[in-house]
Amino acid sequence: MTVLRGNEDSFREAMNLGHSAAWENRWQEAVEHYTRAMNEFPDNPPMLNSLALAHLELGHLDEALQLYRRAARLSPEDPLPAEKVAWIYKQTNRTKESVQYSMRAAELYLRLRDADKAINNWGRAISLDPDNLDAHAHLALVYEKLGRTPQAISEHIAVAAVMQRAGRLDEARKTGEHALHLNPKSIEAQQAAAMLQANKPLPKPARQGSISGPLRLAPGTGRLGNNSPANGKPMAQLELEDGPDPLQEATEKALQTLAAMLFDLTPAGKVEVEPKSGSLRSIAKVVSDGLLARGFDEKAIVRHLNQAIQLETQKQPEEAAKQFEAAIQAGLEHAAAHFVLGLLLRDQGKWDAALPHIQKAVTHADYALAGHLLLAEDLQAREQSKAAVLEYLQALREADASVIAPEKSEALRQQYEPLLAAAEQNPDDAAIQQLCANIRHLLLRPGWRTGVNEARGQLPGQAEGSAPRPVADILTSANSGRLVDALAQISRISRQGHFRAAMEEAFTALEFSPTYLPLHMHMGELLFMNEHPERAVQKLATVARVYSARGENDRATQVYRRIVQMSPLDVSARTHLVERLHALGEKKEAVRETVELADVYYRQAQLTQARETYEKALRLSQGVEVDPNWNAQILHQIADIDLQRLDWRKALRVYEQLRTVAPEDTTARQNLVQLNLRLGQEAKANTELENYLSLLSSRSREQDAISFLSALADENGNYVLARRRLAEAYQQQGQRDAAISQWNKLGELLVQKGDRQGALNAVRAILALNPPNAERYQSFLKRLSK
């Protein structure tokens, strides 16, 4: 906070003159005026920045450096002085200090959500210190979050190169694998991963003038020489194609995800290099896919999770399981943790203890295939063949859908519904046992994708545009042809507009396949088309509940989405939709739908429920890669509700949150000033106004400051400080007539308030601008002086 020591009027006059000189590039004169202002208030950050800039323009690097460093100490949240210090240090060949301040400026810009400026400052650090691990790691993470995959890959490979030269070979290989995971088709990532696999040195990151570009491999290093496969593909690419078995693959995915959780649970997302363990916490993917339980113990989760991952890597399964259990008890409700713990307990023969964890993990897409396989094995061991075959078929559905084009996967999943329904009703235990064995043999082996693809190649050809056939057709003798024909007939009749006839056909199909859920969904759509929306919603809600009970959260989610399309104001369906999205780990969509639910409450004038739901959306958005504007929009909605209730103090607290989330949000800043004025807290209003004007000044947004002050002065006609700052702003911009008008209004206001000295200063400010009717103001000045 600025400490006031001198005369404010003298300070403002000197600053105005300094701004005028700077505007006309009269930098030496600007230095003299700003220095006079500094004599009044030596600890004013905007003044220090202005004086430093003037010295910088004159080539006085030492003076500018000292001033910018002082401004950085007084205003530690402002990235501008730190950035200027870094630039000056670079010009004076003080590399270490320039890197230090560049990293600091980058972090501050990132807090202000100015990613581009943060990237520029990390780029300066790398240009001076190509082996700066922190800078490369931060860039990799930010590029990844921004969706700039090629740049993220380049920075991850640069991290791997630095680690490799430091002897941290395992971490370097994992980082290279993560780069390849971002885009398996990237030649750069393929080559780097192959070189790391073959223990060949990666090129050192180049010293560049700005942001490091793509890593260029030296000539002749793109292949592995004698270690290359016969077909010439990079080794890393072949390993990706062959792959481990589903259980090992899911385990590796889970451990990578949990390693990323350590980054998410580190305060402010700070990247740390731990000297003792040598592990970089943030090389794994940033976004976590699970949830934390209400009332979680963050420190305990980090401690137990870190130990669990290390113990699992060191092949100490019993101790690792204990640590995973402790992390979960501390509040780590994450599908990856449940999967690894379930697998560890299963390998120790503790099936009963493992089962609840596998059941929680299987609802997440990353662990569905492996989870269904584990559940199937457990059921077979308990001699529950019919239940086991349903789990095996669901595992096969996940595997089958993973090897075809994404746009066709949902249509393929639909084809498994009649197979599941038929298997559930099949009385032939021998046939069920054989189907279980066939699926297990196909999936529980390394290179399972190759096996599934080869099996798909044996399917008969199909007409163009038809849904893909499931590979299960060649593994089972279940006859689902009758149901498929019935569905085709229902679709044909309904397209002709004969909805009642189509419904009769659907009831006929129910007689031989009563548990086939897509048939019930068809019936719900027929009810909706036949203008029975309430019955349609009831039917689909029943289908969604059954899918949820089966653990098929993705299908349940789709049904609930359809319900809210049919009935947008259905609060129950929207609530269930949010719950299903949580179960799937789709946190971003869960936030979006929670906001939609809050909007429904708001439109129904249920303000209490609306506010509570907006607050829930705000909690859910923490740690999620959502649009930065989302949190601000949610807070605006909450504040709007408080304003409608005339709860100004609560609204003020919300706008204070908004100021932190979105420092440049004009509406929030304006309401902060106005609410403080309404509450009789003019000193706080003045502080809010000065802080925002300082922020705008540091961004060189003088015109925005004028617009803000003009609106504020219009809304609050008796607010002296807003009118004074508006007059000064016009004067700094050389808008003489506008400045005279505002000084005139300020003088009249101060006369009304009985502030004779303030009115005198206003009139003097007008006279300094050489107004056309100066005699009138001279006369008024004499009257005031008596």
Side-chain angles (χ1 to χ4, degrees):
M1 181 179 294
T2 301
V3 178
L4 301 179
R5 297 183 186 175
N7 184 282
E8 183 178 356
D9 290 331
S10 297
F11 174 81
R12 291 295 172 188
E13 180 185 7
M15 288 295 291
N16 291 339
L17 292 172
H19 292 328
S20 298
W23 182 261
E24 298 174 4
N25 294 324
R26 293 181 280 114
W27 295 109
Q28 185 57 52
E29 186 179 339
V31 165
E32 294 170 0
H33 291 303
Y34 289 140
T35 301
R36 189 156 56 87
M38 184 171 64
N39 292 334
E40 299 294 338
F41 298 123
D43 291 338
N44 182 280
M47 175 275 301
L48 292 171
N49 285 328
S50 297
L51 180 55
L53 176 62
H55 277 297
L56 194 63
E57 291 292 337
L58 291 170
H60 304 161
L61 296 186
D62 290 340
E63 291 84 350
L65 177 62
Q66 296 306 317
L67 290 164
Y68 277 129
R69 289 188 60 182
R70 186 170 167 189
R73 287 195 302 272
L74 292 170
S75 185
E77 301 301 316
D78 186 357
L80 177 66
E83 184 178 39
K84 292 294 187 180
V85 170
W87 185 88
I88 294 172
Y89 276 138
K90 182 179 179 181
Q91 301 308 307
T92 54
N93 297 318
R94 296 176 65 176
T95 301
K96 182 178 179 181
E97 291 87 348
S98 181
V99 169
Q100 176 186 350
Y101 274 90
S102 294
M103 297 294 290
R104 178 177 172 185
E107 182 180 351
L108 292 173
Y109 274 124
L110 195 62
R111 290 181 187 174
L112 294 175
R113 291 172 172 78
D114 195 336
D116 288 334
K117 289 187 178 179
I119 288 170
N120 287 338
N121 278 277
W122 283 317
R124 184 190 303 110
I126 290 172
S127 72
L128 297 169
D129 179 14
D131 287 342
N132 190 306
L133 189 60
D134 280 353
H136 283 297
H138 275 102
L139 276 173
L141 293 175
V142 170
Y143 279 139
E144 196 170 328
K145 281 188 174 183
L146 293 174
R148 301 180 188 176
T149 303
Q151 294 95 326
I153 288 173
S154 295
E155 292 303 331
H156 278 302
I157 294 173
V159 169
V162 175
M163 286 180 165
Q164 186 188 53
R165 285 193 303 282
R168 297 158 61 177
L169 301 182
D170 288 341
E171 293 171 83
R173 279 193 288 271
K174 289 179 182 178
T175 304
E177 290 168 3
H178 180 68
L180 185 60
H181 173 75
L182 293 177
N183 181 10
K185 296 182 180 180
S186 167
I187 301 300
E188 182 184 4
Q190 291 173 4
Q191 291 175 336
M195 293 177 68
L196 288 164
Q197 188 70 26
N199 290 323
K200 289 194 172 185
L202 290 173
K204 183 178 181 179
R207 183 185 296 270
Q208 300 182 8
S210 57
I211 306 301
S212 59
L215 182 67
R216 304 299 179 190
L217 301 182
T221 59
R223 300 291 180 192
L224 301 184
N226 296 332
N227 295 324
S228 296
N231 63 2
K233 292 183 179 180
M235 183 179 294
Q237 187 179 5
L238 286 181
E239 289 179 353
L240 185 67
E241 292 174 355
D242 291 344
D245 66 68
L247 301 186
Q248 182 184 348
E249 185 176 297
T251 302
E252 292 174 357
K253 171 66 177 177
L255 290 174
Q256 290 174 0
T257 302
L258 292 171
M261 282 289 288
L262 292 176
F263 171 84
D264 288 332
L265 295 175
T266 301
K270 184 179 179 182
V271 180
E272 297 182 12
V273 180
E274 298 179 350
K276 292 184 179 179
S277 64
S279 63
L280 183 64
R281 289 186 176 181
S282 58
I283 298 305
K285 188 179 179 183
V286 177
V287 181
S288 64
D289 298 316
L291 302 172
L292 296 174
R294 190 181 294 272
F296 65 92
D297 185 340
E298 180 176 320
K299 292 182 179 179
I301 290 174
V302 171
R303 182 174 67 254
H304 292 301
L305 184 56
N306 191 33
Q307 293 176 8
I309 293 174
Q310 291 182 11
L311 289 166
E312 205 284 336
T313 305
Q314 295 166 5
K315 308 300 181 186
Q316 300 183 44
E318 294 184 3
E319 293 302 316
K322 292 178 182 178
Q323 293 299 323
F324 276 119
E325 283 183 305
I328 290 172
Q329 290 173 1
L332 180 58
E333 278 300 316
H334 196 292
H338 283 292
F339 178 80
V340 176
L341 177 56
L343 190 60
L344 289 170
L345 293 172
R346 169 256 198 185
D347 290 344
Q348 296 170 37
K350 301 177 181 179
W351 266 112
D352 290 338
L355 191 58
H357 298 290
I358 299 299
Q359 288 172 334
K360 288 184 178 181
V362 77
T363 62
H364 194 287
D366 288 340
Y367 315 108
L369 169 57
H372 283 303
L373 287 173
L374 289 171
L375 292 174
E377 284 193 319
D378 174 48
L379 291 166
Q380 266 201 305
R382 299 173 191 265
E383 298 184 351
Q384 299 178 26
S385 300
K386 187 165 289 189
V389 77
L390 296 179
E391 295 294 340
Y392 274 124
L393 279 170
Q394 290 181 78
L396 182 61
R397 176 169 60 185
E398 298 295 328
D400 204 1
S402 72
V403 300
I404 67 169
E407 63 270 16
K408 296 182 179 180
S409 62
E410 181 53 34
L412 176 62
R413 289 175 182 274
Q414 293 276 0
Q415 302 303 307
Y416 275 85
E417 290 295 340
L419 297 176
L420 286 163
E424 194 172 15
Q425 297 179 16
N426 191 348
D428 188 344
D429 189 64
I432 288 176
Q433 293 278 10
Q434 185 60 53
L435 181 57
C436 290
N438 290 344
I439 297 174
R440 190 178 192 282
H441 175 74
L442 178 66
L443 297 182
L444 273 174
R445 61 176 183 176
W448 59 271
R449 287 185 177 84
T450 301
V452 173
N453 268 321
E454 290 176 350
R456 291 199 61 80
Q458 299 175 29
L459 292 169
Q462 296 177 255
E464 185 176 353
S466 59
R469 296 186 62 177
V471 74
D473 281 354
I474 62 175
L475 299 178
T476 179
S477 59
N479 181 14
S480 59
R482 186 179 178 189
L483 183 56
V484 172
D485 290 343
L487 290 174
Q489 179 73 349
I490 293 168
S491 297
R492 183 181 62 79
I493 296 173
S494 63
R495 283 197 300 269
Q496 295 172 353
H498 305 308
F499 302 129
R500 290 189 178 181
M503 184 64 80
E504 291 175 2
E505 190 72 26
F507 276 114
T508 301
L510 278 179
E511 294 178 3
F512 58 84
S513 188
T515 62
Y516 183 49
L517 293 182
L519 177 58
H520 289 275
M521 289 186 64
H522 274 286
M523 297 174 73
E525 293 292 346
L526 289 170
L527 287 167
F528 185 72
M529 288 185 287
N530 206 24
E531 298 183 357
H532 295 292
E534 293 183 1
R535 291 173 59 191
V537 167
Q538 291 173 358
K539 168 66 78 173
L540 292 182
T542 301
V543 172
R545 286 194 295 271
V546 174
Y547 273 131
S548 294
R550 287 184 181 179
E552 297 181 58
N553 286 321
D554 55 340
R555 303 300 304 280
T557 300
Q558 293 172 19
V559 179
Y560 281 123
R561 285 192 187 280
R562 179 59 183 139
I563 292 174
V564 298
Q565 288 175 351
M566 290 180 173
S567 180
L569 299 182
D570 191 319
V571 170
S572 175
R574 287 193 179 276
T575 302
H576 285 299
L577 176 57
V578 171
E579 293 172 352
R580 292 309 94 206
L581 289 168
H582 272 304
L584 288 171
E586 297 182 13
K587 297 170 69 177
K588 183 175 180 179
E589 283 301 308
V591 174
R592 188 193 303 275
E593 290 299 334
T594 303
V595 172
E596 290 287 343
L597 176 59
D599 289 343
V600 170
Y601 282 128
Y602 186 88
R603 288 195 294 271
Q604 294 176 346
Q606 300 182 47
L607 297 185
T608 299
Q609 294 90 331
R611 195 184 194 284
E612 291 174 354
T613 309
Y614 282 127
E615 287 181 331
K616 180 181 178 182
L618 200 61
R619 290 194 301 270
L620 295 176
S621 68
Q622 302 306 308
V624 182
E625 279 192 275
V626 298
D627 187 327
N629 294 323
W630 274 22
N631 285 349
Q633 291 171 1
I634 294 170
L635 286 169
H636 271 297
Q637 290 292 98
I638 294 173
D640 179 67
I641 292 172
D642 292 335
L643 289 176
Q644 288 187 48
R645 292 171 162 180
L646 302 181
D647 194 339
W648 292 346
R649 293 192 181 278
K650 189 175 286 187
L652 182 63
R653 289 195 293 271
V654 176
Y655 282 122
E656 286 171 349
Q657 284 183 266
L658 252 171
R659 184 219 302 134
T660 302
V661 171
E664 299 185 38
D665 189 307
T666 302
T667 301
R669 293 287 192 161
Q670 186 170 353
N671 284 334
L672 276 170
V673 176
Q674 290 182 337
L675 285 171
N676 275 304
L677 289 174
R678 289 181 186 178
L679 292 168
Q681 301 172 164
E682 186 167 351
K684 290 186 177 180
N686 291 345
T687 300
E688 293 290 349
L689 176 58
E690 293 285 27
N691 287 343
Y692 186 49
L693 292 178
S694 177
L695 177 66
L696 293 177
S697 176
S698 70
R699 303 286 189 279
S700 299
R701 293 171 54 189
E702 286 77 11
Q703 192 56 50
D704 290 341
I706 289 176
S707 300
F708 178 81
L709 288 166
S710 180
L712 195 60
D714 290 343
E715 288 285 333
N716 305 272
N718 293 327
Y719 188 22
V720 172
L721 184 62
R723 189 72 66 184
R724 177 181 291 125
R725 296 293 179 261
L726 180 58
E728 292 169 350
Y730 278 132
Q731 187 170 339
Q732 290 169 15
Q733 293 298 307
Q735 300 182 40
R736 189 186 69 161
D737 292 343
I740 290 173
S741 174
Q742 293 303 321
W743 283 119
N744 193 67
K745 291 179 181 179
L746 177 62
E748 292 174 356
L749 177 60
L750 292 170
V751 168
Q752 293 173 10
K753 288 179 172 289
D755 186 351
R756 180 182 294 272
Q757 185 59 46
L760 282 169
N761 291 336
V763 175
R764 291 190 185 107
I766 294 173
L767 289 170
L769 295 172
N770 296 318
N773 51 349
E775 297 82 4
R776 174 188 163 202
Y777 288 104
Q778 289 285 3
S779 174
F780 187 65
L781 185 64
K782 290 178 181 178
R783 290 202 305 271
L784 281 175
S785 301
K786 291 180 180 179

